[in-house]
Structures are given as C-alpha cells and as structure tokens.
C-alpha cells in the first residue's frame, strides 16, 4: 500500500499532467508517436480539456518533475526500509543531481528543453517531503 501511494500515484499524476496539458512539441510526444500511442494520448487530452484555470503554466511545467522526484525518493526509502542511511541519502541525492544536470543542460543549450528554476527547486522540496513522509515512525513497520 505504501508503494502504491508514495511511488505509483505520484508517477501516474505526473505523467497525466505531462500528457494532458504540456505542449505537444516536447520530446515526450515524439516517443508517444514512436510507440504508436498518439491516438490514445490525443483522446486523453480531449477528455482532459484545456489547462485548468487553477493550474498556472509554471505548475504544469514543474509539478511532474517534483512528483517524479518524490516517487524516486520514496521508492529508495522503501528499499532501505524507510531508514535514512548514508546509502539511501546518496541515492536520493544522485536522483536530484541527475535532474539538476538535465535542467542545467537545458540552460546552456546542450539538452533539449527550456530551463526553469522551478525544476531545480521543486524536486528538492519533493525529495524532502518524501523523506518526511516515508520515515515517519507512526507508519506500519515494513515487513
């Protein structure tokens, strides 16, 4: 149950935000076409409708990265039985570094995409939130 909530749900929500409301000129939509899923994604975008008024473009742009970082951090903590160790912190930090390097690569033009400061800040906050949420003593002990 913990994995479903802390790992799979954030992946699903982040993916849906990306597929439903991100511009279709990003690399992900090339992958969708290669996989032959363009019609499915277009139907999903039609059902989702336009970007909701409550969701500014900065949210739609940065929330998926934050949700994916939360998911990765939570998965790593579940592997380490919700314990902060040198190893678990190292792997969580490595996930952040990879995300940050991609974003910095965008800022200097060697990685496709547009640099967004939110994509540096929000994943860090999400990793911290995952640490707090997944290491709480009041959860049922891992089996």
């Amino acid at each position: 149950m913990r994995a479903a909530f802390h790992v799979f749900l954030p992946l699903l929500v982040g993916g849906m935000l990306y597929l439903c409301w991100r511009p279709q000129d990003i690399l992900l939509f090339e992958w969708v076409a290669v996989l032959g899923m363009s019609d499915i994604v277009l139907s999903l975008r039609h059902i989702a409708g336009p970007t909701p008024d409550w969701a500014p473009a900065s949210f739609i742009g940065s929330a998926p990265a934050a949700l994916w970082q939360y998911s990765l951090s939570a998965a790593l903590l579940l592997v380490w039985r919700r314990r902060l160790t040198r190893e678990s912190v190292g792997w969580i930090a490595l996930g952040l570094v990879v995300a940050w390097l991609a974003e910095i690569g965008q800022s200097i033009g060697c990685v496709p995409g547009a640099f967004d400061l939110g994509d540096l800040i929000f994943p860090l906050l999400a990793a911290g939130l995952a640490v707090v949420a997944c290491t709480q003593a009041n959860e049922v002990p891992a089996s």
Side-chain angles (χ1 to χ4, degrees):
M1 185 65 170
R2 283 188 298 273
F5 182 77
H6 291 291
V7 178
F8 300 116
L9 183 61
L11 282 175
L12 178 65
V13 172
M16 295 303 287
L17 287 170
Y18 231 83
L19 290 172
C20 291
W21 295 307
R22 289 296 304 261
Q24 288 183 286
D25 61 351
I26 59 177
L27 183 60
L28 174 69
F29 290 96
E30 291 178 28
W31 298 345
V32 165
V34 167
L35 293 172
M37 298 177 64
S38 295
D39 290 342
I40 294 169
V41 171
L42 287 174
S43 295
L44 181 65
R45 289 174 72 89
H46 178 73
I47 292 166
T51 304
D53 293 336
W54 55 264
S58 59
F59 172 81
I60 298 297
S62 294
L67 287 163
W68 295 333
Q69 184 62 50
Y70 180 96
S71 176
L72 174 63
S73 300
L76 292 168
L77 285 164
L78 291 173
V79 166
W80 268 276
R81 296 184 181 255
R82 300 173 321 173
R83 292 186 184 96
L84 284 178
T85 64
R86 184 179 321 151
E87 292 82 9
S88 66
V89 170
W91 282 101
I92 292 168
L94 180 62
L96 282 167
V97 167
V98 169
W100 289 341
L101 286 175
E103 199 62 30
I104 291 167
Q106 289 177 352
S107 75
I108 60 175
C110 65
V111 173
F115 173 79
D116 185 341
L117 185 59
D119 287 343
L120 295 177
I121 296 169
F122 295 123
L124 176 63
L125 296 174
L129 181 61
V131 167
V132 170
C134 294
T135 60
Q136 293 297 308
N138 62 357
E139 285 196 35
V140 176
S143 52

